[in-house]
Amino acid sequence: MRIVLSGTWSGLLLQNEGGFADKFELYFDLEQIGLAVKGTAFVKLGELQAEMKLSGYQTPAGSWRITETKILRNNKAGLAISWCMKEYDLRVDYRKGELVLTGPWWGNSEYGPCVPGSITLKRRIKVASLFLGGQHAVDVQPHG
């Protein structure tokens, strides 16, 4: 089954011990064009929030290497912090009627390397079109 990344994903960004916080809300809005992907990431921890421009590609191993390239807008909530510009190495799986995008992240801020971590994002599947034997298209709707 060919999975398309285009759409809105939501979930969590986890940061390893020693980071600014252990858990942030994270949203990706992605558009896939062949083996390339572009879009935005939105990270949030209370009033602290930022939107970053993303671009990336599918690796020969099948994972997605996605890089934050620019801060589009942000609110530091009055704190003296520097945003971490992250890279992700993500895999897509299908679990219980949802697509799940998971993998590690790492990056740099103006103060140097960030404490890395991992992300888990989900996107609900409304209708998936499967081709059985290459002859007939079948619509599948998850239940529950």
Side-chain angles (χ1 to χ4, degrees):
M1 178 166 77
R2 188 170 163 270
I3 295 173
V4 176
L5 290 191
S6 294
T8 301
W9 299 77
S10 60
L12 294 175
L13 178 140
L14 303 178
Q15 191 170 25
N16 296 342
E17 194 173 329
F20 183 81
D22 60 353
K23 194 184 295 184
F24 297 82
E25 291 176 53
L26 181 66
Y27 305 90
F28 277 5
D29 191 10
L30 299 176
E31 180 186 357
Q32 181 182 339
I33 304 116
L35 298 179
V37 67
K38 66 180 183 175
T40 55
F42 183 74
V43 64
K44 183 176 192 295
L45 178 67
E47 294 295 307
L48 196 64
Q49 44 194 282
E51 184 177 14
M52 272 75 154
K53 187 175 181 179
L54 297 173
S55 66
Y57 59 93
Q58 190 169 28
T59 69
S63 68
W64 289 88
R65 177 60 61 88
I66 297 175
T67 304
E68 294 176 351
T69 57
K70 180 181 177 184
I71 298 172
L72 298 173
R73 52 195 171 113
N74 73 98
N75 178 2
K76 294 183 180 181
L79 300 173
I81 61 164
S82 172
W83 288 107
C84 184
M85 299 300 287
K86 295 171 288 304
E87 286 190 55
Y88 306 87
D89 188 22
L90 305 176
R91 294 215 161 265
V92 184
D93 292 306
Y94 180 76
R95 296 186 208 149
K96 299 179 188 161
E98 293 181 314
L99 285 176
V100 181
L101 198 55
T102 58
W105 69 267
W106 60 95
N108 287 288
S109 75
E110 63 189 73
Y111 303 125
C114 308
V115 174
S118 63
I119 71 165
T120 301
L121 299 177
K122 295 180 180 177
R123 190 184 72 160
R124 212 168 270 291
I125 307 262
K126 289 186 175 69
V127 176
S129 183
L130 303 175
F131 290 89
L132 304 175
Q135 297 171 15
H136 307 285
V138 178
D139 282 333
V140 179
Q141 185 97 17
H143 298 283

